[in-house]
Amino acid sequence: MGILSLILGRAGPSGFGSASTAEQVSASIDASNLTIIITGGASGIGLETSRVLAERGAHVIIAARNMEAANEAKQLILNHNQNAKIDVLQLDLSSLKSVKAFADSFKALNLPLNILINNAGVMFCPFQLSQDGIEMQFATNHLGHFYLTNLLLDKMKETAAATGIEGRIVNLSSVAHLYTYEQGIRFDQINDKDSYSDKKAYGQSKLANILHANELTRRLKEQGANITVNSVHPGLIMTDLMRHSFQLMRLLKLFTYLLWKNVQQGAATTCYVAVHPKLKGVSGKYFVDCNEYPASKFATDPELAKNLWEYSNNLVNSLQNS
């Protein structure tokens, strides 16, 4: 899928392309037997993903930091579809305590879990530390989702084994994973304020999303678990995610307007990878415009993926014990 295909909206091997919408890629799919968690499901492409998958019959759990926005999103979906199955639970991915509380609250609902969509994130924010003392973009975009996924993995395995339905995990990454620090992941300088770059730190966190998906794929295959894990680039979409660089993005969009998507198109790749039957058994891949696409050299480095897993696991354990 090259630049020309992106501009023209030309469909790729999947039958879909950059112009496809979330409704189009899921048009014939019955998701009424699925329970889906969507982080950041109250706004932007997360909200569109929640709306469309609820429209397909799925029981959608919107995980959001802002509960007022989450309840408004729930009501918006119900206004269009009174039969929608929507619940909201609070989740602040920059806080491991909040991630644990969310997982406990979800498990208390006694629901199955078929699909986890790790959608939420922050972008290009000035240097700041999370509640746990970790650089905010790495903490929110990667570490929070890493911990959340681990906490919910047993529930997903149980659901897949009991129902025979393949579980799926979708990590929202970005083409920005190509623009990271020289060493890919700066394990020894995650919190280094002096050399911090908001753009490279974002790219680092999005690279981490792909590496996480790839290493988890390897581990689940070894265990024989009926769960796939893939990562996606949703495309260039003007959403609240860009609030820290809104003027820059408006200027960029002025000169590259043909490359930008609307929210309906931006949610398409997530929905395609999450529920389309063509993706059965496909794991450890990176998708752009609803088609498999080669990721960067760093993103396909199995040793870097293993190192990131060990680093993240050790970091979570040390923060919990501190």
Side-chain angles (χ1 to χ4, degrees), residues 46-321:
L47 173 54
E48 178 66 2
T49 302
S50 299
R51 184 191 71 81
V52 171
L53 294 180
E55 189 71 27
R56 302 295 172 246
H59 185 175
V60 174
I61 313 296
I62 293 176
R65 183 178 57 83
N66 185 329
M67 288 302 287
E68 182 180 353
N71 282 305
E72 288 176 359
K74 176 181 178 178
Q75 193 56 53
L76 181 68
I77 294 171
L78 288 171
N79 288 345
H80 288 88
N81 176 13
Q82 62 181 5
N83 296 317
K85 293 175 286 186
I86 301 283
D87 284 303
V88 298
L89 290 175
Q90 189 163 37
L91 171 64
D92 180 353
L93 285 157
S94 69
S95 163
L96 296 185
K97 181 179 179 181
S98 176
V99 173
K100 179 64 165 60
F102 170 87
D104 289 343
S105 295
F106 173 75
K107 291 173 185 176
L109 296 175
N110 234 0
L111 293 170
L113 180 57
N114 304 95
I115 298 171
L116 171 62
I117 300 177
N118 291 321
N119 164 84
V122 294
M123 182 180 186
F124 299 168
C125 56
F127 181 84
Q128 56 186 302
L129 297 179
S130 70
Q131 292 180 30
D132 300 303
I134 306 300
E135 187 277 310
M136 186 62 77
Q137 295 192 83
F138 189 83
T140 304
N141 298 350
H142 166 64
L143 196 66
H145 281 126
F146 174 85
Y147 185 41
L148 176 67
T149 302
N150 281 354
L151 290 173
L152 297 176
L153 208 50
D154 283 344
K155 171 60 72 172
M156 292 196 72
K157 290 176 182 177
E158 291 169 11
T159 300
T163 63
I165 300 172
E166 177 183 83
R168 295 187 183 183
I169 299 170
V170 184
N171 281 0
L172 264 75
S173 180
S174 169
V175 69
H177 82 273
L178 294 163
Y179 185 67
T180 183
Y181 294 106
E182 184 178 353
Q183 56 272 65
I185 306 290
R186 303 197 310 172
F187 295 112
D188 297 326
Q189 294 177 285
I190 290 294
N191 288 350
D192 188 42
K193 183 178 181 179
D194 292 338
S195 60
Y196 177 77
S197 161
D198 58 351
K199 310 298 186 297
K200 290 183 179 181
Y202 180 71
Q204 174 180 247
S205 70
K206 295 290 99 179
L207 171 61
N209 293 150
I210 301 177
L211 292 170
H212 172 220
N214 293 351
E215 176 61 10
L216 183 53
T217 289
R218 185 188 70 81
R219 289 168 175 261
L220 291 173
K221 284 182 177 178
E222 282 187 352
Q223 298 166 15
N226 187 23
I227 300 172
T228 64
V229 196
N230 292 292
S231 48
V232 306
H233 166 56
L236 292 171
I237 308 109
M238 189 67 75
T239 68
D240 287 344
L241 187 62
M242 296 179 176
R243 60 188 175 274
H244 293 294
S245 55
F246 188 69
Q247 295 304 324
L248 172 63
M249 287 302 159
R250 284 190 66 182
L251 181 63
L252 177 64
K253 187 174 183 179
L254 180 65
F255 292 101
T256 60
Y257 70 97
L258 288 175
L259 303 181
W260 288 69
K261 297 181 177 184
N262 58 38
V263 171
Q264 292 75 24
Q265 294 165 337
T269 305
T270 302
C271 289
Y272 175 73
V273 174
V275 299
H276 204 284
K278 280 186 180 179
L279 273 296
K280 183 175 174 58
V282 176
S283 193
K285 305 298 182 182
Y286 173 62
F287 289 84
V288 178
D289 298 334
C290 301
N291 288 273
E292 191 178 327
Y293 197 82
S296 72
K297 184 176 180 180
F298 277 137
T300 52
D301 182 342
E303 288 305 312
L304 186 59
K306 290 178 184 177
N307 291 340
L308 176 64
W309 184 282
E310 293 303 321
Y311 175 85
S312 303
N313 204 44
N314 290 338
L315 185 55
V316 166
N317 289 337
S318 66
L319 290 171
Q320 286 180 309
N321 296 327

Side-chain angles (χ1 to χ4, degrees), residues 4-68:
L4 186 60
S5 295
L6 182 63
I7 294 173
L8 298 177
R10 185 181 298 156
S14 69
F16 304 109
S18 62
S20 301
T21 66
E23 287 197 347
Q24 290 169 341
V25 304
S26 63
S28 60
I29 293 170
D30 177 7
S32 58
N33 58 346
L34 301 177
T35 300
I36 303 174
I37 290 176
I38 305 174
T39 70
S43 63
I45 60 175
L47 173 54
E48 178 66 2
T49 302
S50 299
R51 184 191 71 81
V52 171
L53 294 180
E55 189 71 27
R56 302 295 172 246
H59 185 175
V60 174
I61 313 296
I62 293 176
R65 183 178 57 83
N66 185 329
M67 288 302 287
E68 182 180 353

